[in-house]
Amino acid sequence: GGGSYSLEEGITKNDRDDETPVIGSEEESIFDDVSVNDPRYDAIKNVYEKGWMVGISDRVFAPEGTLTRAMGVTILWNKAGQPEPQGVAPFLDVTSDMWYAKAVAWAYEQGISAGYGDTFGPDDYLTTEQFTRMNDIANGRIPADYVGGAPYATRGWVAVMISEQ
């Protein structure tokens, strides 16, 4: 009756994928919103287990979710082992009591992110190009010239990018 209809209604293609047995694998996803069959799953699991990225809540990773500039530098800071910055961030919009304050100060000192003059824009969405440049600098590579117009980075995309290094 109505019960089976409401069950069917809530089933998405991804839920059905989870039920397809993978030969030799009994693994269950660590996140309810990322199937073990998702091509990004291993990268997401890797960055989560290393403590570089966390879910947005218990068992929810939000792979399609966007990131802010504060989140982006915090991920790179986590990946670097959360080194203590030498000073405080020189930005009017980053006070020392904010959860990302040390990450921003570290990223500024390392030349990973310069901000916009005397502001950092911690809540601005991060584009794929901005994160690629920050990640290149964090890993000692010379970034490509800034072009602009790139799409916003997603959490799943960032996980794949940093997991591959």
Side-chain angles (χ1 to χ4, degrees), residues 40-84:
R40 302 167 298 187
Y41 180 73
D42 288 341
I44 289 170
K45 182 179 175 191
N46 182 34
V47 299
Y48 174 76
E49 288 177 346
K50 288 182 174 176
W52 299 347
M53 293 181 76
V54 295
I56 62 163
S57 66
D58 190 38
R59 296 200 47 86
V60 178
F61 188 79
E64 305 308 325
T66 52
L67 297 93
T68 62
R69 288 168 50 81
M71 291 175 187
V73 295
T74 299
I75 290 165
L76 293 174
W77 181 65
N78 289 342
K79 187 173 181 250
Q82 299 185 345
E84 193 67 29

Side-chain angles (χ1 to χ4, degrees), residues 9 14 19 32 37 61 68 77 84 113-114 116 119 130 138 140 147-148 152 156-158:
E9 193 176 45
N14 284 344
E19 292 167 17
D32 293 339
N37 299 322
F61 188 79
T68 62
W77 181 65
E84 193 67 29
S113 182
Y116 316 112
T119 61
Q130 289 169 336
V147 179
Y152 291 135
W157 179 86
V158 167

Side-chain angles (χ1 to χ4, degrees), residues 9 14 18 28 30 36 45 68 83 89 91 105 126 140 160-161:
E9 193 176 45
N14 284 344
D18 287 344
E28 185 179 321
I30 58 173
V36 293
K45 182 179 175 191
T68 62
F91 303 113
L126 191 61
V160 168
M161 172 169 270

Side-chain angles (χ1 to χ4, degrees), residues 18 20-29 36-37 41:
D18 287 344
T20 308
V22 179
I23 306 301
S25 173
E26 297 292 318
E27 184 173 11
E28 185 179 321
S29 177
V36 293
N37 299 322
Y41 180 73

